C-alpha cells in the first residue's frame, strides 16, 4: 500500500498549499472572525477557536442553499468520502469518520442522542433535516460528554429556536427528474413573553429501477418562554418531532452459490418520534443548571431478516440529562453531568434452531453515567480542556415464546479526554487533543449472545470496545483572502466486537453464532484543505480538500493481510479522497460547482463475500444555479450525481458496470443516477 509514502506526500503537499474550509462550505461574505462561530456540542457552547477538536459547522442559510434532504446527503458534502450509501435515496447511509467504524458515531438532536438501540450503527439516510437550523461535525473522541459509541465523532443537530422577534418563515416547492416532488414549510413567531416554531415536509422520488421509490414526511413543533423568579431567570422549552420514510431495497443476493436477484417488493421502513422539555436555570451569576427530559420512540422494517423475512423492530427510550456549569471566573469553568436512560425494544433477529425461524424478544436496557469536564484559560489565547466519565449499564432479555427473562449482559466503562488550543493570532490556531473512547455492546449483540448461550449452555461474555485517539491540527488565514487547515489523527480500537459464525457443521445446526471481542484495528488520517475568497461586485471563492487515510488490521499484520483480508472492520474506508468546490455570486445570482473523488477502498463482494479492492475511484459531480427574481423569492436549479451511469435492473443483474468506479459507491449497490431538481423558496 505504501501508506507511509502516501502520508508523507500529502504532508508535503499540505505544507505547500496549507488547508482550508473552516467549518463547512463558506459563504460569500464569510468574515475573518472565526470566533463568531460557536460549538454547541461542547459541554457548554464555546467559540470554534477555543476547542481542541476538529469541527465542521453548517448554519441555517447554507443548509437551505444546499437543499440536502437527509443527513447522509449533507455529510457527503460536509465530509467527502466519509459517508457510504447503499443505493438510491433513503437507503442505508453510514459514516466512517477518519477511518473509524460506522458504529463509532453518535448523532445528537439538541444534545440528546437519537441512535436506535436495536441497530449496530446509525442510519444517516433515514434522518430528515426538516426543522434543523445547524449541523456540527466534531471529529475524534467525544465519549467524555456523550458516552458509548462516540469514538469516531459526534454529529450534532440543532433545531430551530426562538429566532428574531415578529412573525416570519418560509415555504418551498421542489420538482425534478425521476418523479421528484416535494414541499416544505416552517414558521417562527417570537414576542416578549415567548416563542413558537413549527414546520412540516413531504417528498417523493422514483428511480431508473422499476418500483424503486422513496417517500419521506415529517414535522416538528417547538415553543419556549422565559421566566424571572426570585430564584433566578429560567428558560423553558417544549418540543415535539416526528418523521418517517419508506425506501425500496430491491437489490439482494440469494441461493447457493449466491446470485443476484431483483425483488422490487423489498423495502425498508423507518419512523421516529420524540417529545420532551428542557430547562435552563441561572441559579446564581456563576451557576447555570440545564436539564432535558426526552421520550424517543422508533420503528424500522428491514427486508434482510432471518430466512429473508421482513424483520420489524421498535424501541422506546426515556432519557434525562442534568448538567451544572460553574464559572467562578472568566478563565475557568467546571461542568458536571448526570445521565439516566432506559430503553425498551422489541425485535426478532435471531434463529430458533428447532423451527429455523426468528424468535421475537423484548429487550430492556438501563444506563447511568456521570461526567466532569473543566475548561481553563491558562493565558490569553491558550485554553486547556480535560474531562472524565464513568458509564454502567445492563440489558435484560425476555423471549416471547417461553416468557423466559434473563440478564443478557452488563458492562462498565470509564473514559477521559484532554486537549490544548492555542490561538497565536487571528491568522493562526494550533490544537492537540488525546482521549479514550468506548462502545457498549448493543441490545442486538447481547441478544444474539444470550441466544447462543441458551443453545449450548456456554457463556459468551462481551466487553465494551475501547479506543485511544491522538489529534493535532492547525487552522488560519493569509492575506485576508486565504484560509487553510491541516489535521492529523490516529485511533486504535481494541477489544473489537466481531460476529463469529458457527463453523462446526453439526447437524442439526447448533446456531451458536455470536459476538466476541476479537482483535484490534488502527485508523489514521491526514487531511489538508485550502480556500480562497475575494471579489466585490461579484464575490467568488473555492475550496480544496485532500485526505489520506488507512485502516489496518493489527492482528493479521502480514504482507497480504495487514489491511484486513481477515477482518471486515476495514471495509469502505477510501485510501485517498479529494474534493474541490467553487462558487460565484452577485446580488441576485449564485453559481456553484463541486467535484468529489473517493479513492479505491476495500469492500465485500456481494456474491462471493470475499474482501476485494474496488480498484477504481468514485467521482461525484454537482452543479447549482440560484436566482432571486424578486425580493424574498429564490429559484434554484441543482444537478447531482452527474457522472453516475443511469443503470437498469438488467445492468445490475449482469454486473455490467461492476468494475467501473462511478457505477457504485458501495460494491453490489448501484449508485443513484443523475438527477435535476428545481426548487422555489419564498421567505417572509
Amino acid at each position: 500500500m505504501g501508506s507511509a509514502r502516501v502520508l508523507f506526500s500529502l504532508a508535503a503537499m499540505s505544507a505547500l498549499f496549507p488547508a482550508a474550509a473552516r467549518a463547512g462550505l463558506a459563504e460569500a461574505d464569510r468574515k475573518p472572525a472565526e470566533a463568531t462561530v460557536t460549538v454547541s456540542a461542547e459541554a457548554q457552547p464555546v467559540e470554534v477557536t477555543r476547542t481542541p477538536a476538529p469541527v465542521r459547522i453548517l448554519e441555517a442559510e447554507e443548509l437551505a442553499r444546499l437543499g440536502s434532504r437527509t443527513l447522509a446527503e449533507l455529510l457527503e458534502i460536509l465530509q467527502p468520502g466519509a459517508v457510504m450509501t447503499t443505493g438510491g435515496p433513503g437507503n442505508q447511509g453510514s459514516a466512517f469518520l477518519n477511518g473509524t467504524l460506522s458504529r463509532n458515531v453518535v448523532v445528537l438532536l439538541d444534545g440528546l442522542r437519537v441512535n436506535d438501540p436495536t441497530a449496530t450503527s446509525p442510519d444517516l439516510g433515514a434522518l430528515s433535516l426538516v426543522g434543523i437550523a445547524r449541523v456540527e461535525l466534531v471529529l475524534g473522541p467525544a465519549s467524555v460528554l456523550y458516552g458509548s459509541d462516540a469514538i469516531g465523532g459526534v454529529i450534532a443537530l440543532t433545531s430551530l429556536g426562538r429566532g428574531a422577534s415578529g412573525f416570519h418563515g418560509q415555504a418551498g416547492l421542489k420538482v425534478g427528474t425521476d418523479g421528484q416532488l416535494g414541499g416544505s414549510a416552517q414558521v417562527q413567531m417570537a414576542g416578549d413573553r415567548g416563542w413558537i416554531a413549527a414546520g412540516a415536509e413531504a417528498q417523493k422520488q422514483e428511480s431508473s429501477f422499476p418500483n424503486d421509490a422513496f417517500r419521506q414526511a415529517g414535522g416538528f413543533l417547538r415553543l419556549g418562554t422565559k421566566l424571572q423568579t426570585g430564584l433566578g431567570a429560567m428558560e423553558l422549552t417544549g418540543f415535539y418531532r416526528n418523521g418517517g420514510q419508506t425506501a425500496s431495497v430491491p437489490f439482494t443476493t440469494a441461493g447457493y452459490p449466491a446470485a443476484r436477484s431483483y425483488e422490487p417488493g423489498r423495502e425498508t421502513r423507518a419512523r421516529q418520534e420524540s417529545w420532551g422539555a428542557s430547562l435552563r436555570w441561572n441559579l446564581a451569576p456563576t451557576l447555570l443548571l440545564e436539564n432535558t427530559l426526552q421520550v424517543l420512540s422508533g420503528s424500522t422494517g428491514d427486508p434482510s431478516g432471518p430466512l429473508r423475512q421482513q424483520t420489524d423492530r421498535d424501541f422506546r427510550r426515556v432519557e434525562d440529562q442534568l448538567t451544572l456549569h460553574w464559572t467562578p471566573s472568566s478563565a475557568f469553568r467546571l461542568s458536571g453531568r448526570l445521565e439516566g436512560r432506559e430503553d425498551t425494544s422489541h425485535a426478532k433477529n435471531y434463529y430458533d434452531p428447532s423451527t429455523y425461524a426468528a424468535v421475537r424478544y423484548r429487550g430492556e436496557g438501563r444506563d447511568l453515567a456521570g461526567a466532569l469536564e473543566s475548561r481553563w484559560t491558562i493565558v490569553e489565547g491558550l485554553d486547556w480542556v480535560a474531562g472524565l466519565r464513568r458509564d454502567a449499564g445492563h440489558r435484560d432479555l425476555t423471549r416471547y415464546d417461553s416468557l423466559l427473562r434473563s440478564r443478557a449482559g452488563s458492562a462498565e466503562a470509564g473514559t477521559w479526554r484532554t486537549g490544548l488550543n492555542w490561538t497565536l493570532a487571528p491568522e493562526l490556531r494550533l490544537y492537540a487533543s488525546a482521549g479514550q473512547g468506548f462502545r457498549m455492546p448493543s441490545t442486538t449483540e447481547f441478544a444474539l449472545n444470550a441466544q447462543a448461550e441458551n443453545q449450548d449452555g456456554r457463556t459468551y461474555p462481551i466487553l465494551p470496545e475501547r479506543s485511544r485517539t491522538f489529534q493535532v491540527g492547525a487552522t488560519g488565514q493569509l492575506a485576508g483572502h486565504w484560509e487553510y487547515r491541516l489535521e492529523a489523527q490516529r485511533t486504535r480500537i481494541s477489544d473489537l466486537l466481531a460476529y463469529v459464525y458457527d463453523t462446526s457443521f453439526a447437524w442439526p445446526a447448533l446456531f451458536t453464532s455470536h459476538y466476541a471481542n476479537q482483535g484490534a484495528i488502527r485508523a489514521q488520517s491526514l487531511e489538508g484543505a485550502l480556500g480562497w475568497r475575494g471579489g466585490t461586485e461579484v464575490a467568488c471563492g473555492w475550496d480544496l480538500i485532500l485526505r489520506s487515510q488507512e485502516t489496518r488490521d493489527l492482528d493479521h499484520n502480514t504482507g497480504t493481510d495487514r489491511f484486513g483480508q481477515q477482518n471486515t472492520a476495514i471495509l469502505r474506508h477510501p485510501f485517498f479522497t479529494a474534493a474541490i468546490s467553487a462558487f460565484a455570486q452577485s446580488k441576485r445570482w449564485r453559481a456553484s460547482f463541486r467535484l468529489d473523488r473517493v479513492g479505491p477502498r476495500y469492500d465485500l463482494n456481494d456474491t462471493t463475500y470475499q474482501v476485494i479492492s474496488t480498484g477504481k475511484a468514485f467521482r461525484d459531480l454537482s452543479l447549482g444555479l440560484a436566482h432571486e427574481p424578486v425580493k424574498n423569492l429564490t429559484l434554484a436549479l441543482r444537478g447531482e450525481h452527474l457522472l453516475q451511469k443511469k443503470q437498469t435492473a438488467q445492468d445490475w443483474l449482469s454486473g455490467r458496470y461492476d468494475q467501473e468506479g462511478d457505477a457504485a459507491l458501495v460494491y453490489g449497490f448501484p449508485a443513484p443516477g443523475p438527477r435535476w431538481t428545481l426548487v422555489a423558496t419564498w421567505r417572509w
Side-chain angles (χ1 to χ4, degrees):
M1 174 58 196
S3 59
R5 290 193 297 273
V6 173
L7 290 172
F8 178 81
S9 299
L10 182 57
M13 187 179 302
S14 299
L16 292 174
F17 303 98
R22 173 183 302 123
L25 300 180
E27 301 150 22
D29 57 352
R30 172 76 76 184
K31 301 297 189 297
E34 190 179 34
T36 61
V37 181
T38 60
V39 184
S40 60
E42 295 279 355
Q44 195 172 9
V46 63
E47 294 97 348
V48 169
T49 54
R50 296 183 60 193
T51 181
V55 180
R56 319 282 186 263
I57 297 176
L58 287 181
E59 303 280 7
E61 183 177 348
E62 192 66 21
L63 290 172
R65 183 180 294 150
L66 294 173
S68 300
R69 294 170 294 185
T70 66
L71 186 56
E73 291 185 2
L74 180 66
L75 264 290
E76 290 174 1
I77 301 171
L78 193 57
Q79 191 74 355
V83 177
M84 297 288 163
T85 54
T86 55
N91 287 162
Q92 173 77 33
S94 301
F96 300 82
L97 301 181
N98 289 346
T100 58
L101 310 182
S102 60
R103 62 198 188 200
N104 297 148
V105 178
V106 166
V107 182
L108 305 172
L109 177 60
D110 299 321
L112 294 179
R113 61 176 56 214
V114 294
N115 294 46
D116 182 346
T118 67
T120 55
S121 62
D123 181 5
L124 308 184
L127 291 170
S128 167
L129 296 177
V130 61
I132 300 301
R134 179 186 180 92
V135 176
E136 301 174 22
L137 175 62
V138 182
L139 301 174
S143 294
V144 165
L145 287 178
Y146 299 109
S148 176
D149 310 336
I151 291 174
V154 164
I155 304 169
L157 311 179
T158 302
S159 299
L160 284 175
R162 184 183 190 281
S165 296
F167 179 72
H168 52 96
Q170 67 179 49
L173 178 67
K174 69 169 65 174
V175 295
T177 57
D178 292 330
Q180 286 188 74
L181 181 62
S184 63
Q186 62 186 44
V187 294
Q188 292 173 276
M189 183 169 60
D192 296 336
R193 303 186 62 180
W195 58 272
I196 185 171
E201 67 159 0
Q203 52 191 322
K204 72 177 187 70
Q205 181 183 338
E206 311 294 332
S207 81
S208 57
F209 297 94
N211 301 314
D212 184 7
F214 168 66
R215 304 285 189 275
Q216 186 180 60
F220 71 94
L221 172 66
R222 292 175 59 82
L223 65 162
T225 186
K226 290 185 178 181
L227 302 174
Q228 188 65 46
T229 70
L231 298 176
M234 302 172 63
E235 182 177 342
L236 297 173
T237 303
F239 54 87
Y240 173 80
R241 180 183 178 90
N242 72 53
Q245 69 171 49
T246 61
S248 296
V249 190
F251 314 105
T252 186
T253 57
Y256 183 81
R260 289 178 176 175
S261 63
Y262 186 78
E263 301 176 14
R266 290 163 48 89
E267 69 174 14
T268 62
R269 302 184 301 272
R271 173 164 289 280
Q272 276 200 9
E273 182 179 44
S274 64
W275 57 271
S278 64
L279 166 70
R280 285 176 57 90
W281 187 0
N282 291 294
L283 298 172
T286 61
L287 282 179
L288 172 64
L289 177 71
E290 295 181 303
N291 188 51
T292 302
L293 174 65
Q294 174 183 264
V295 178
L296 175 70
S297 60
S299 62
T300 59
D302 184 351
S304 302
L307 300 184
R308 299 168 60 77
Q309 299 170 337
Q310 185 83 14
T311 301
D312 297 322
R313 308 192 309 269
D314 66 76
F315 74 92
R316 180 182 175 86
R317 171 183 297 150
V318 180
E319 181 174 7
D320 188 74
Q321 185 182 94
L322 177 67
T323 307
L324 182 64
H325 305 286
W326 179 45
T327 312
S329 71
S330 59
F332 182 78
R333 186 180 72 202
L334 185 65
S335 299
R337 175 173 293 176
L338 289 176
E339 293 180 16
R341 182 167 56 246
E342 182 177 74
D343 293 330
T344 304
S345 56
H346 305 85
K348 53 175 186 178
N349 56 355
Y350 58 81
Y351 292 110
D352 185 320
S354 61
T355 62
Y356 300 98
V359 175
R360 188 167 178 82
Y361 73 87
R362 171 188 171 96
E364 298 175 37
R366 290 178 175 84
D367 298 275
L368 184 65
L372 193 66
E373 184 178 83
S374 64
R375 177 177 294 274
W376 180 30
T377 301
I378 302 173
V379 295
E380 185 62 31
L382 180 61
D383 292 280
W384 173 65
V385 178
L388 297 170
R389 182 184 174 102
R390 187 70 180 177
D391 284 68
H394 67 263
R395 302 291 183 269
D396 293 333
L397 180 68
T398 302
R399 288 179 53 137
Y400 274 100
D401 55 351
S402 64
L403 298 181
L404 179 64
R405 179 187 174 102
S406 61
R407 177 59 49 89
S410 60
E412 294 186 14
T415 186
W416 57 269
R417 173 194 179 218
T418 187
L420 284 171
N421 186 87
W422 190 12
T423 304
L424 295 166
E427 295 80 17
L428 177 61
R429 178 171 72 101
L430 305 176
Y431 50 94
S433 64
Q436 176 180 292
F438 68 95
R439 187 183 77 89
M440 290 285 193
S442 70
T443 299
T444 297
E445 291 162 338
F446 274 133
L448 286 169
N449 281 22
Q451 171 67 5
E453 182 177 346
N454 289 340
Q455 297 308 313
D456 60 11
R458 296 177 56 190
T459 301
Y460 294 96
I462 46 179
L463 302 172
E465 292 179 342
R466 298 182 182 275
S467 73
R468 290 182 182 272
T469 301
F470 179 71
Q471 300 170 306
V472 293
T475 66
Q477 301 159 1
L478 294 171
H481 294 282
W482 296 89
E483 301 174 336
Y484 62 89
R485 183 182 75 243
L486 179 62
E487 295 169 345
Q489 175 172 298
R490 171 176 284 191
T491 299
R492 187 185 191 276
I493 302 176
S494 58
D495 296 323
L496 193 71
L497 275 176
Y499 189 56
V500 181
Y501 292 92
D502 172 30
T503 57
S504 65
F505 299 104
W507 184 261
L510 296 175
F511 287 91
T512 55
S513 299
H514 60 281
Y515 281 90
N517 294 106
Q518 290 193 338
I521 61 172
R522 185 182 69 208
Q524 57 188 17
S525 66
L526 178 63
E527 179 171 319
L530 179 68
W532 181 86
R533 300 290 181 272
T536 52
E537 293 297 322
V538 177
C540 55
W542 55 265
D543 293 288
L544 173 66
I545 300 175
L546 303 173
R547 182 168 64 252
S548 175
Q549 69 184 50
E550 68 172 30
T551 305
R552 179 177 295 198
D553 181 353
L554 299 179
D555 300 291
H556 305 89
N557 196 18
T558 65
T560 57
D561 293 336
R562 66 179 178 271
F563 294 105
Q565 297 297 318
Q566 304 295 324
N567 191 340
T568 57
I570 53 80
L571 294 178
R572 298 173 190 162
H573 307 294
F575 300 128
F576 186 84
T577 299
I580 185 169
S581 60
F583 74 90
Q585 178 174 324
S586 65
K587 186 176 181 180
R588 292 186 176 274
W589 292 89
R590 179 184 172 97
S592 60
F593 155 90
R594 192 184 85 249
L595 176 65
D596 299 337
R597 182 188 185 277
V598 182
R601 57 209 168 275
Y602 286 118
D603 212 326
L604 199 66
N605 187 296
D606 64 320
T607 56
T608 67
Y609 306 110
Q610 297 293 313
V611 178
I612 60 173
S613 172
T614 58
K616 294 184 179 181
F618 178 87
R619 301 171 302 166
D620 198 15
L621 174 65
S622 297
L623 301 174
L625 182 64
H627 175 51
E628 187 177 1
V630 297
K631 186 178 180 180
N632 298 330
L633 175 64
T634 303
L635 302 177
L637 178 66
R638 303 189 187 101
E640 300 169 286
H641 312 304
L642 300 182
L643 296 181
Q644 274 60 69
K645 298 180 181 299
K646 194 165 186 176
Q647 302 181 54
T648 65
Q650 188 56 45
D651 289 335
W652 178 75
L653 288 169
S654 66
R656 176 182 177 184
Y657 297 117
D658 279 358
Q659 303 307 314
E660 298 191 17
D662 298 329
L665 188 60
V666 173
Y667 192 88
F669 294 91
R675 71 180 182 216
W676 290 91
T677 307
L678 179 63
V679 182
T681 304
W682 173 259
R683 295 179 177 85
W684 66 89

